[in-house]
Coordinates of all heavy atoms in Angstrom, one line a residue:
P276 N 143.1 -54.6 -94.9 CA 141.7 -54.1 -95.1 C 140.7 -55.2 -94.9 O 139.6 -54.9 -94.4 CB 141.8 -53.6 -96.6 CG 143.2 -53.2 -96.8 CD 144.0 -54.2 -96.0
T277 N 141.0 -56.4 -95.3 CA 140.1 -57.5 -95.1 C 139.8 -57.8 -93.6 O 138.7 -58.0 -93.2 CB 140.6 -58.8 -95.8 OG1 140.9 -58.5 -97.2 CG2 139.6 -59.9 -95.7
Q278 N 140.9 -57.8 -92.8 CA 140.7 -58.0 -91.4 C 139.9 -56.9 -90.7 O 139.1 -57.1 -89.9 CB 142.1 -58.1 -90.7 CG 142.9 -59.4 -91.1 CD 144.3 -59.4 -90.5 OE1 144.8 -58.3 -90.2 NE2 144.8 -60.6 -90.4
T279 N 140.2 -55.7 -91.2 CA 139.4 -54.5 -90.6 C 138.0 -54.7 -91.0 O 137.1 -54.4 -90.1 CB 140.0 -53.2 -91.2 OG1 141.4 -53.1 -90.9 CG2 139.3 -52.0 -90.6
K280 N 137.7 -55.0 -92.2 CA 136.3 -55.2 -92.6 C 135.6 -56.3 -91.8 O 134.4 -56.2 -91.4 CB 136.2 -55.5 -94.1 CG 134.8 -55.6 -94.7 CD 134.8 -55.8 -96.2 CE 133.4 -55.9 -96.7 NZ 133.4 -56.1 -98.2
T281 N 136.3 -57.4 -91.6 CA 135.8 -58.5 -90.8 C 135.4 -58.1 -89.4 O 134.4 -58.4 -88.9 CB 136.7 -59.7 -90.8 OG1 137.0 -60.1 -92.2 CG2 136.1 -60.9 -90.1
E282 N 136.4 -57.4 -88.8 CA 136.2 -56.9 -87.4 C 135.0 -55.9 -87.3 O 134.2 -56.0 -86.4 CB 137.4 -56.2 -86.9 CG 138.6 -57.2 -86.7 CD 139.8 -56.5 -86.2 OE1 139.8 -55.3 -86.1 OE2 140.9 -57.2 -86.0
T283 N 134.9 -55.1 -88.3 CA 133.7 -54.1 -88.4 C 132.4 -54.9 -88.5 O 131.4 -54.5 -87.8 CB 133.9 -53.1 -89.5 OG1 135.2 -52.5 -89.4 CG2 132.8 -52.1 -89.5
N284 N 132.4 -55.9 -89.4 CA 131.1 -56.6 -89.6 C 130.8 -57.4 -88.3 O 129.6 -57.5 -87.9 CB 131.3 -57.6 -90.7 CG 131.4 -56.9 -92.1 OD1 130.9 -55.8 -92.2 ND2 132.0 -57.6 -93.0
R285 N 131.8 -57.9 -87.6 CA 131.6 -58.7 -86.3 C 131.0 -57.7 -85.3 O 130.1 -58.1 -84.6 CB 132.9 -59.3 -85.9 CG 132.6 -60.3 -84.7 CD 133.9 -60.8 -84.2 NE 134.6 -61.6 -85.2 CZ 135.8 -61.3 -85.7 NH1 136.4 -60.2 -85.4 NH2 136.3 -62.1 -86.7
R286 N 131.6 -56.5 -85.2 CA 131.1 -55.6 -84.2 C 129.7 -55.1 -84.5 O 128.9 -55.0 -83.6 CB 132.0 -54.4 -84.1 CG 133.4 -54.7 -83.5 CD 134.3 -53.5 -83.7 NE 135.7 -53.8 -83.2 CZ 136.7 -53.0 -83.3 NH1 136.6 -51.9 -84.0 NH2 137.9 -53.4 -82.8
G287 N 129.4 -55.0 -85.8 CA 128.1 -54.6 -86.2 C 127.1 -55.6 -85.9 O 126.0 -55.3 -85.5
L288 N 127.5 -56.9 -86.1 CA 126.6 -58.0 -85.8 C 126.3 -58.1 -84.3 O 125.1 -58.2 -83.8 CB 127.1 -59.3 -86.3 CG 126.4 -60.6 -85.9 CD1 125.0 -60.5 -86.6 CD2 127.1 -61.8 -86.4
L289 N 127.3 -57.9 -83.5 CA 127.2 -57.9 -82.0 C 126.3 -56.8 -81.5 O 125.5 -56.9 -80.7 CB 128.5 -57.9 -81.3 CG 129.4 -59.1 -81.5 CD1 130.8 -58.9 -80.9 CD2 128.8 -60.3 -80.9
S290 N 126.5 -55.6 -82.2 CA 125.6 -54.5 -81.8 C 124.2 -54.7 -82.1 O 123.3 -54.4 -81.3 CB 126.1 -53.2 -82.5 OG 127.5 -52.9 -82.2
R291 N 123.9 -55.3 -83.3 CA 122.5 -55.6 -83.7 C 121.9 -56.6 -82.7 O 120.7 -56.5 -82.4 CB 122.5 -56.1 -85.1 CG 122.7 -55.0 -86.1 CD 122.3 -55.4 -87.5 NE 123.1 -56.6 -88.0 CZ 124.3 -56.5 -88.7 NH1 124.8 -55.3 -88.9 NH2 124.9 -57.5 -89.1
L292 N 122.7 -57.6 -82.3 CA 122.2 -58.6 -81.4 C 121.9 -58.0 -80.1 O 120.8 -58.4 -79.4 CB 123.2 -59.8 -81.2 CG 123.5 -60.7 -82.5 CD1 124.6 -61.7 -82.2 CD2 122.2 -61.4 -82.8
R293 N 122.8 -57.1 -79.6 CA 122.5 -56.5 -78.3 C 121.2 -55.6 -78.3 O 120.5 -55.5 -77.4 CB 123.7 -55.6 -77.9 CG 124.9 -56.5 -77.5 CD 126.0 -55.6 -76.8 NE 127.2 -56.3 -76.6 CZ 128.3 -56.1 -77.4 NH1 128.2 -55.3 -78.5 NH2 129.4 -56.8 -77.2
A294 N 121.0 -55.0 -79.5 CA 119.9 -54.0 -79.6 C 118.6 -54.8 -80.0 O 117.5 -54.1 -80.1 CB 120.2 -53.0 -80.7
S295 N 118.7 -56.1 -80.3 CA 117.5 -56.8 -80.7 C 116.4 -56.9 -79.6 O 116.7 -57.4 -78.5 CB 117.9 -58.2 -81.1 OG 116.8 -59.0 -81.4
P296 N 115.2 -56.4 -79.9 CA 114.2 -56.5 -78.8 C 113.8 -57.9 -78.6 O 113.4 -58.3 -77.5 CB 113.0 -55.7 -79.4 CG 113.3 -55.6 -80.9 CD 114.8 -55.7 -81.1
F297 N 113.9 -58.8 -79.6 CA 113.6 -60.2 -79.4 C 114.5 -60.9 -78.4 O 114.1 -61.5 -77.4 CB 113.7 -60.9 -80.7 CG 113.7 -62.4 -80.6 CD1 112.6 -63.1 -80.2 CD2 114.9 -63.1 -80.9 CE1 112.7 -64.5 -80.0 CE2 114.9 -64.5 -80.8 CZ 113.8 -65.2 -80.3
L298 N 115.8 -60.7 -78.6 CA 116.8 -61.3 -77.7 C 116.7 -60.7 -76.3 O 116.8 -61.4 -75.3 CB 118.2 -61.1 -78.2 CG 118.6 -62.0 -79.3 CD1 120.1 -61.7 -79.7 CD2 118.5 -63.5 -79.0
S299 N 116.4 -59.4 -76.2 CA 116.2 -58.7 -74.9 C 115.0 -59.3 -74.2 O 115.1 -59.6 -73.0 CB 116.0 -57.2 -75.1 OG 115.8 -56.6 -73.9
D300 N 113.9 -59.5 -74.9 CA 112.7 -60.0 -74.2 C 112.9 -61.5 -73.9 O 112.5 -61.9 -72.8 CB 111.5 -59.9 -75.1 CG 111.1 -58.4 -75.3 OD1 111.5 -57.6 -74.4 OD2 110.3 -58.1 -76.2
L301 N 113.6 -62.2 -74.8 CA 113.8 -63.6 -74.5 C 114.7 -63.9 -73.3 O 114.4 -64.7 -72.4 CB 114.4 -64.3 -75.8 CG 114.6 -65.8 -75.7 CD1 113.3 -66.6 -75.5 CD2 115.4 -66.3 -76.9
L302 N 115.8 -63.1 -73.3 CA 116.8 -63.3 -72.2 C 116.3 -62.8 -70.8 O 116.8 -63.1 -69.8 CB 118.1 -62.7 -72.5 CG 118.8 -63.3 -73.7 CD1 120.1 -62.6 -74.0 CD2 119.1 -64.8 -73.5
S303 N 115.2 -61.9 -70.9 CA 114.7 -61.4 -69.7 C 113.6 -62.3 -69.1 O 113.1 -62.1 -68.0 CB 114.1 -60.0 -69.9 OG 113.0 -60.0 -70.8
N304 N 113.2 -63.3 -69.9 CA 112.2 -64.3 -69.5 C 112.9 -65.4 -68.8 O 113.7 -66.2 -69.3 CB 111.5 -64.8 -70.7 CG 110.3 -65.7 -70.4 OD1 110.3 -66.5 -69.4 ND2 109.2 -65.5 -71.1
R305 N 112.6 -65.5 -67.5 CA 113.3 -66.5 -66.6 C 113.0 -68.0 -67.1 O 113.9 -68.9 -67.0 CB 113.0 -66.3 -65.2 CG 113.5 -65.0 -64.6 CD 113.2 -64.9 -63.1 NE 113.7 -63.6 -62.6 CZ 113.6 -63.2 -61.3 NH1 112.9 -64.0 -60.5 NH2 114.0 -62.1 -60.9
L306 N 111.8 -68.2 -67.4 CA 111.4 -69.5 -67.8 C 112.1 -69.9 -69.2 O 112.5 -71.1 -69.3 CB 109.9 -69.6 -68.0 CG 109.0 -69.5 -66.7 CD1 107.6 -69.6 -67.0 CD2 109.5 -70.6 -65.7
A307 N 112.2 -69.0 -70.1 CA 112.9 -69.2 -71.3 C 114.3 -69.5 -71.1 O 114.9 -70.4 -71.7 CB 112.7 -68.1 -72.3
L308 N 115.0 -68.8 -70.2 CA 116.3 -69.0 -69.8 C 116.5 -70.4 -69.2 O 117.5 -71.1 -69.5 CB 116.8 -68.0 -68.8 CG 117.2 -66.6 -69.4 CD1 117.6 -65.6 -68.3 CD2 118.4 -66.8 -70.4
A309 N 115.6 -70.8 -68.4 CA 115.6 -72.1 -67.8 C 115.5 -73.2 -68.9 O 116.2 -74.2 -68.8 CB 114.5 -72.3 -66.8
G310 N 114.7 -72.9 -69.9 CA 114.5 -73.9 -71.0 C 115.8 -74.0 -71.8 O 116.3 -75.1 -72.2
I311 N 116.5 -72.8 -72.0 CA 117.8 -72.8 -72.7 C 118.8 -73.6 -72.0 O 119.6 -74.4 -72.6 CB 118.2 -71.4 -73.0 CG1 117.3 -70.7 -73.9 CG2 119.7 -71.4 -73.5 CD1 117.6 -69.2 -74.1
V312 N 118.9 -73.4 -70.7 CA 119.8 -74.2 -69.9 C 119.6 -75.7 -69.9 O 120.5 -76.5 -70.1 CB 119.8 -73.7 -68.4 CG1 120.6 -74.6 -67.5 CG2 120.3 -72.2 -68.3
L313 N 118.3 -76.1 -69.8 CA 118.0 -77.5 -69.9 C 118.4 -78.1 -71.2 O 118.9 -79.2 -71.3 CB 116.5 -77.7 -69.6 CG 116.0 -77.4 -68.2 CD1 114.5 -77.6 -68.1 CD2 116.7 -78.3 -67.2

C-alpha cells in the first residue's frame, strides 16, 4: 500500500506539472528556454 500511494502521489504531481499554465508558458518561451540551457 505504501508503494501504491507513493506512485499515485508521483503521478498526481506529474499531472499537475503538465497542467501548470506557468510551466506551459515558460517552456513555450524560446528565450526562457535558451536561458535555462545556458
